[in-house]
Amino acid sequence: LQGLCHSSRFGCLFAVLCLAVGAIAGKYSREMNDQKPSVDGKSTVEFRIAKLNQVWEKATRMQLPPVRQAELHSDLKIQEKDELQWKKSKAEGMDENGEREAKLRRGFNVILAKYGMDGKKDTRPLESNNLKDHDIREGDMFDDPRLDKLWNKAKSSGKFSEEEMQSLKREFQHHKDKISEYNIVMDTVSRTEEIHKNVISPLEGEVKQHVLHQKHTDLKDKMRDLNQGFERLRKLSYEGFSEDSEFKEPRVIELWEMAQRANLTGDELDSLKEELKHFETKVEKHSHYQEQLELSHQKLRHVEALGDNDHILRNQERYNNLAEKTREMGYKMKKHMQDLTSKISRKGLDRNEL
């Protein structure tokens, strides 16, 4: 009997120990995925999701150009917001087919490839800051023969003022970025298809087939978007900017054209036009801060070379404040664009269903 009691006590103690270890392990894995800033402020983390922090830490070690680093921060903030929203909806029993999860994974892969962190050899120039173009060979500005040919034609036509050339250049750069994103998604689809060929379990195969279908749909949408964008560039290059053009910023123009194709009512279009005007102001302000950040970075490098510590500290503080403001504005702008895109898509969809 005494042996039985001793055995029972030992079993209870073992169970308590197992529970404690399990709780610690669970806490550890949760903390790895949902990181919080520390109380002492010494080891604050930028993001609440571990993998996003790892990307950010790697980016700071890579010493990306300042504007590019600020852009990455905004992209990671958007990814964080979307992933946390997805976790909440999944806990509520939504996204059973894994569609949103696949889209989030694809978004994360796009970020890695966009900033040269996907383990592939990065063919972009080291200073891939699109605010500067003085070191790029004439006639080879956009790494795409069709874009370069169109750009040179527009440049030599003499029909654009200096300010219009700057606007046109933004349009071309925006289109180049979209081509790059399309190529990244195309690459992830190819790799998923390669994995799909080696699937053994039929159930797993069905899930992967569904994910592949989603990726192909995404690719088709992006290709249609690219074709429309190129047609718009071609028209602009030949005809120039019209006097009664509603907007100047490429992203805003794209949203306005998307809204006009979405069968919205006159009142809805008028309301959206006002919202897009506010959004355009936000985009212009963000571009201005990007330019200031680049200038501040150049000045800081110059001051560091002179070695005046007080001067260095003052410039470093100004640079840090500008970097933080640029990141914050970049996030707000991208979130606003996300909201506008889904608003237009949703209204267009509702109208088509009526």
Side-chain angles (χ1 to χ4, degrees):
L1 184 67
Q2 191 178 4
L4 186 64
C5 289
H6 177 75
S7 163
S8 172
R9 274 202 306 275
F10 179 74
C12 288
L13 182 63
F14 182 71
V16 168
L17 278 170
C18 283
L19 282 169
V21 170
I24 292 164
K27 184 174 182 288
Y28 174 74
S29 63
R30 270 200 313 279
E31 282 173 357
M32 280 301 288
N33 283 304
D34 286 331
Q35 295 196 36
K36 305 275 190 304
S38 65
V39 181
D40 61 8
K42 286 175 188 172
S43 56
T44 54
V45 291
E46 285 289 324
F47 302 97
R48 289 171 62 188
I49 296 170
K51 67 177 179 186
L52 302 184
N53 269 314
Q54 286 161 6
V55 170
W56 180 246
E57 283 161 15
K58 185 178 178 181
T60 42
R61 287 197 302 273
M62 282 167 69
Q63 294 185 315
L64 290 172
V67 172
R68 199 157 169 75
Q69 193 170 29
E71 276 293 282
L72 169 64
H73 194 277
S74 314
D75 283 341
L76 290 173
K77 269 287 179 200
I78 291 284
Q79 182 76 14
E80 177 183 57
K81 171 188 73 73
D82 291 345
E83 291 210 16
L84 292 173
Q85 280 175 354
W86 168 76
K87 278 184 180 182
K88 189 171 180 288
S89 65
K90 198 184 179 198
E92 290 164 2
M94 294 158 83
D95 194 37
E96 283 181 11
N97 61 5
E99 201 172 298
R100 274 185 70 188
E101 186 180 7
K103 198 171 182 182
L104 283 169
R105 199 178 296 118
R106 187 157 70 248
F108 183 64
N109 287 336
V110 166
I111 290 172
L112 292 181
K114 184 177 170 185
Y115 296 95
M117 286 187 272
D118 56 349
K120 296 188 172 183
K121 189 169 171 21
D122 195 9
T123 52
R124 285 186 300 267
L126 286 173
E127 279 287 309
S128 51
N129 189 334
N130 60 24
L131 298 174
K132 300 193 289 178
D133 62 72
H134 51 75
D135 56 345
I136 298 170
R137 280 189 295 118
E138 197 65 37
D140 191 23
M141 188 180 282
F142 301 104
D143 304 323
D144 181 280
R146 287 205 310 169
L147 283 185
D148 288 328
K149 190 178 174 184
L150 208 52
W151 171 254
N152 291 325
K153 205 168 192 118
K155 210 172 167 189
S156 57
S157 70
K159 67 173 73 164
F160 296 98
S161 67
E162 201 173 317
E163 193 184 334
E164 284 174 334
M165 278 308 288
Q166 284 303 312
S167 296
L168 190 64
K169 186 179 160 195
R170 280 203 300 274
E171 294 266 6
F172 271 76
Q173 184 61 49
H174 178 59
H175 192 78
K176 180 190 169 181
D177 292 343
K178 279 162 65 181
I179 291 171
S180 172
E181 192 170 314
Y182 174 81
N183 289 334
I184 290 164
V185 176
M186 178 82 129
D187 187 49
T188 58
V189 168
S190 303
R191 276 185 282 145
T192 312
E193 280 178 337
E194 205 55 47
I195 295 162
H196 182 63
K197 285 175 192 171
N198 303 320
V199 160
I200 298 164
S201 156
L203 186 65
E204 195 183 344
E206 278 172 33
V207 172
K208 285 199 173 136
Q209 191 68 53
H210 177 74
V211 171
L212 269 178
H213 176 69
Q214 278 304 116
K215 285 191 176 184
H216 279 294
T217 306
D218 196 14
L219 270 178
K220 266 192 257 178
D221 290 345
K222 284 188 187 299
M223 179 50 84
R224 189 177 62 244
D225 194 25
L226 277 178
N227 289 335
Q228 284 166 351
F230 186 77
E231 270 311 301
R232 178 185 149 63
L233 279 183
R234 200 174 61 77
K235 195 177 172 199
L236 263 182
S237 304
Y238 283 97
E239 297 173 16
F241 290 91
S242 62
E243 290 296 314
D244 59 345
S245 181
E246 295 285 351
F247 304 103
K248 290 182 296 199
E249 286 293 330
R251 280 167 285 201
V252 187
I253 292 165
E254 230 169 58
L255 286 169
W256 178 236
E257 288 178 351
M258 182 184 168
Q260 288 173 311
R261 290 193 301 268
N263 300 325
L264 303 185
T265 65
D267 286 348
E268 283 172 338
L269 277 174
D270 288 342
S271 165
L272 191 70
K273 192 190 286 184
E274 283 307 305
E275 198 174 344
L276 285 173
K277 281 176 185 171
H278 290 301
F279 177 60
E280 186 165 57
T281 306
K282 204 177 274 185
V283 173
E284 286 167 350
K285 202 173 175 186
H286 178 239
S287 296
H288 170 72
Y289 267 88
Q290 284 184 318
E291 285 166 20
Q292 292 304 306
L293 179 64
E294 176 58 27
L295 290 171
S296 174
H297 183 252
Q298 287 172 12
K299 192 176 178 186
L300 180 61
R301 292 287 84 90
H302 175 69
V303 169
E304 281 174 344
L306 297 174
D308 180 345
N309 282 340
D310 288 345
H311 213 169
I312 289 169
L313 282 171
R314 275 199 306 275
N315 277 276
Q316 183 71 57
E317 192 179 345
R318 174 172 158 73
Y319 172 74
N320 289 345
N321 288 337
L322 266 171
E324 195 174 333
K325 191 77 178 165
T326 309
R327 289 173 198 167
E328 191 185 308
M329 288 182 74
Y331 168 72
K332 284 179 180 171
M333 185 200 74
K334 285 177 184 186
K335 186 183 180 301
H336 197 172
M337 183 159 180
Q338 240 186 10
D339 294 344
L340 283 165
T341 306
S342 62
K343 184 180 183 177
I344 295 165
S345 302
R346 199 168 56 247
K347 283 194 172 178
L349 203 64
D350 293 345
R351 183 82 54 241
N352 287 336
E353 283 173 358
L354 289 174

